[in-house]
Amino acid sequence: MNQGFAPVFATPKSKQPKNPPQPISLQKLQGSLSSYFDDVPDPRVNRTKRHLLKDILVIAILSTIAGGDGWEDMENYGISKQQWLQKFLDLPNGIPSDDTFRRV
């Protein structure tokens, strides 16, 4: 209380962090993204599985992050990014349809 009501200014800190975060490589990001879903149990009936659950989940999450707002947006995102997605997803029967995203 001996300082009264005088404003107290903090000492300025360095504008640059001492250890800035290092960018992650694209290969590491792609591998880790799809590997998160390897252990998710698939409740679907075997005869109805045309697409891997991992592929469906990854496309759904990426399209949502990109601003997608529904099943059709998930399919459209997958179609528009198919060449990139094929680098780290299996996609044995191509991009799942909007109906597949809805059912899963």
Side-chain angles (χ1 to χ4, degrees), residues 16-94:
Q16 294 293 331
K18 292 181 181 178
N19 295 322
Q22 297 297 319
I24 188 170
S25 72
L26 182 60
Q27 289 80 13
K28 187 174 180 180
L29 175 66
Q30 291 169 343
S32 66
L33 179 64
S34 63
S35 67
Y36 282 115
F37 302 105
D38 286 339
D39 297 331
V40 175
D42 193 348
R44 299 176 294 164
V45 178
N46 281 334
R47 65 181 168 80
T48 63
K49 294 181 187 178
R50 291 192 62 226
H51 303 282
L52 299 175
L53 181 64
K54 175 178 73 170
D55 295 349
I56 295 168
L57 294 175
V58 169
I59 294 170
I61 290 171
L62 290 174
S63 74
T64 303
I65 290 171
D69 195 26
W71 316 121
E72 293 86 6
D73 290 343
M74 292 176 188
E75 179 186 17
N76 291 335
Y77 179 85
I79 292 169
S80 67
K81 303 290 184 184
Q82 187 168 2
Q83 287 181 335
W84 176 67
L85 292 169
Q86 286 175 333
K87 292 180 182 178
F88 59 97
L89 295 178
D90 293 332
L91 300 172
N93 290 305

